[in-house]
């Protein structure tokens, strides 16, 4: 008899445990709601906006069955999404469709919910632009990142016409009044100024010698001041075949007064074998010189502040000397002062 009671008790206890476990495992079938976004460190402080690629917590209800988190059409990686009933911890993708407005859409087993929220791209960056000088209506290519939603490009404070734009590249036309000056790009997130300047305020060479400068180069194997083989822009460039230590040199007999100018600018293209080779720039009269490092097979724009080459008040000669003891071919264009 006792054995029968014990068996019945065991069955009853097992039944109660199974029922309790089933109750604990009951899934929340209500549709999701979204209420706020916070950082992982400040979980009680709702955000107004955040940047691409950040970890966030999305607050709400009925979120435990989340199957995907969509940022304006870009899905978060499943491996970077963790959900419970009242929150989702997720990493925002590194690149989204819009520069600012990227609503969050959460899909669960029982519905969807959307939260309008600003997720901003980083501020724009400029890595380079090419060519480094130009005339009105010439096309300039600016490389960098985070140009989505671009609202304007200026040169010397003058608005340029935008020909085309992507996230990483913008093409513009040089505006009247913008043939020299700083290049600035503006997006809805902010503005950035290029580290190098555009154009020449005083031209020494541009499709030929200008402003009474004359050629006094020495020791070169060959020198063509009107070569059409390889130009930075325009129709001609200087094509020089160097001996070791030979130099391209220009002279202005009347001397150039540097007041109102701050730097020398030059574009050079390194021929075969010139990678890492040096060209030394020197001014006469001046106290110091400065070495430029060549890039083989590509044009490079250089700008050298006067303070780095003796800070002269006047210049009679400007010299670009081969300074690696290496016979080489170099193309030169767009020489002058800014």
């Amino acid at each position: 008899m006792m054995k029968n009671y014990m068996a019945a008790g065991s069955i009853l206890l097992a039944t109660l445990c199974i029922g309790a476990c089933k109750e604990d495992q009951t899934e929340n079938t209500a549709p999701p709601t979204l209420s706020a976004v916070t950082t992982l460190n400040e979980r009680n402080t709702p955000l107004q906006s955040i940047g691409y690629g950040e970890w966030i917590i999305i607050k709400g209800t009925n979120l435990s069955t989340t199957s995907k988190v969509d940022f304006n059409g870009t899905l978060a990686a499943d491996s970077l999404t963790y959900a419970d009933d009242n929150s989702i911890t997720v990493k925002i993708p590194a690149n989204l469709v819009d520069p600012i407005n990227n609503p969050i859409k959460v899909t669960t087993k029982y519905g969807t919910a959307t939260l309008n929220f600003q997720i901003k791209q980083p501020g724009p960056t400029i890595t380079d632009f090419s060519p480094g000088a130009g005339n009105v209506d010439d096309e300039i290519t600016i490389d960098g990142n985070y140009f989505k939603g671009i609202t304007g490009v200026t040169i010397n404070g003058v608005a340029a016409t935008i020909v085309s734009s992507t996230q990483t590249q913008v093409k513009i036309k040089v505006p009247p009044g913008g043939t020299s000056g700083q290049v600035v790009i503006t997006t809805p997130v902010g503005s950035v100024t290029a580290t190098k300047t555009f154009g020449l305020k005083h031209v020494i060479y541009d499709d030929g010698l200008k402003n009474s400068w004359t050629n006094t180069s020495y020791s070169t194997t060959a020198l063509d001041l009107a070569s059409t083989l390889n130009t930075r822009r325009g129709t001609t460039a200087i094509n020089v075949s160097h001996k070791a230590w030979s130099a391209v040199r220009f002279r202005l007999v009347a001397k150039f007064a540097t007041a109102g100018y701050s730097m020398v600018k030059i574009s050079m293209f390194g021929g075969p074998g010139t990678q890492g080779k040096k060209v030394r720039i020197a001014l006469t009269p001046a106290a110091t010189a400065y070495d430029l490092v060549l890039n083989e097979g590509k044009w490079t724009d250089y700008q050298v502040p006067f303070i780095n080459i003796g800070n002269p008040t006047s210049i009679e000669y400007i010299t670009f000397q081969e300074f690696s003891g290496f016979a080489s071919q170099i193309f030169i264009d767009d020489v002058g002062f800014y």
Side-chain angles (χ1 to χ4, degrees):
M1 178 73 84
M2 179 62 71
K3 289 183 179 180
N4 291 338
Y5 282 125
M6 290 176 66
S10 296
I11 292 171
L12 178 61
L13 181 61
T15 302
L16 290 172
C17 284
I18 291 170
C21 290
K22 284 184 176 179
E23 185 175 344
D24 287 343
Q25 294 174 1
T26 299
E27 199 167 68
N28 186 344
T29 60
T33 68
L34 305 178
S35 58
V37 173
T38 73
T39 65
L40 275 62
N41 294 327
E42 299 290 337
R43 299 181 179 220
N44 295 318
T45 305
L47 297 171
Q48 298 302 311
S49 65
I50 200 167
Y52 290 4
E54 298 286 344
W55 280 96
I56 58 171
I57 295 175
I58 305 169
K59 299 290 188 71
T61 61
N62 315 318
L63 302 174
S64 61
T65 61
T66 294
S67 58
K68 63 181 180 181
V69 182
D70 181 319
F71 296 93
N72 198 19
T74 302
L75 294 179
D78 290 343
S79 60
L80 301 176
T81 304
Y82 312 92
D84 60 31
D85 209 38
N86 296 306
S87 68
I88 303 168
T89 301
V90 62
K91 188 174 185 180
I92 302 169
N95 198 10
L96 300 180
V97 174
D98 195 86
I100 288 185
N101 297 304
N102 293 289
I104 303 169
K105 182 179 180 181
V106 170
T107 301
T108 71
K109 190 174 178 179
Y110 301 103
T112 62
T114 300
L115 180 67
N116 289 320
F117 186 72
Q118 288 193 341
I119 303 174
K120 299 180 179 181
Q121 72 177 352
T125 62
I126 297 175
T127 55
D128 200 5
F129 56 79
S130 177
N135 299 317
V136 173
D137 286 335
D138 283 356
E139 190 170 287
I140 307 300
T141 300
I142 306 171
D143 295 311
N145 206 351
Y146 303 115
F147 296 155
K148 283 185 296 189
I150 188 168
T151 56
V153 182
T154 61
I155 302 177
N156 194 36
V158 181
T161 298
I162 298 173
V163 177
S164 64
S165 67
T166 66
Q167 176 172 314
T168 59
Q169 189 176 87
V170 179
K171 294 182 183 293
I172 64 168
K173 286 189 175 182
V174 177
T179 54
S180 66
Q182 292 183 318
V183 176
V184 179
I185 284 183
T186 301
T187 72
V189 181
S191 297
V192 62
T193 301
T195 55
K196 76 178 188 183
T197 57
F198 178 76
L200 301 167
K201 292 181 178 180
H202 177 90
V203 177
I204 296 174
Y205 181 93
D206 169 8
D207 283 344
L209 287 168
K210 304 288 177 65
N211 296 313
S212 300
W213 287 86
T214 58
N215 173 39
T216 59
S217 303
Y218 58 86
S219 301
T220 61
T221 299
L223 180 68
D224 184 355
L225 296 180
S227 173
T228 59
L229 293 179
N230 183 11
T231 64
R232 183 71 170 104
R233 65 184 185 95
T235 57
T236 64
I238 299 168
N239 180 4
V240 54
S241 294
H242 274 295
K243 296 178 184 177
W245 320 113
S246 64
V248 173
R249 185 175 67 180
F250 306 119
R251 183 187 186 194
L252 184 64
V253 175
K255 297 185 181 180
F256 176 78
T258 62
Y261 298 85
S262 61
M263 68 182 71
V264 176
K265 297 185 69 177
I266 183 173
S267 297
M268 290 193 291
F269 182 100
T274 59
Q275 184 64 37
K277 302 299 184 183
K278 295 179 181 178
V279 170
R280 176 161 289 186
I281 179 173
L283 305 176
T284 306
T288 58
Y290 189 89
D291 290 343
L292 307 176
V293 179
L294 293 170
N295 290 304
E296 181 179 347
K298 64 179 291 187
W299 283 99
T300 303
D301 302 324
Y302 303 89
Q303 53 185 46
V304 183
F306 286 145
I307 194 171
N308 290 342
I309 40 178
N311 212 18
T313 57
S314 66
I315 299 167
E316 182 177 353
Y317 291 94
I318 181 168
T319 304
F320 303 97
Q321 184 180 15
E322 194 291 314
F323 219 75
S324 293
F326 179 74
S328 59
Q329 182 185 36
I330 297 172
F331 292 89
I332 299 172
D333 209 345
D334 288 334
V335 186
F337 302 116
Y338 180 89

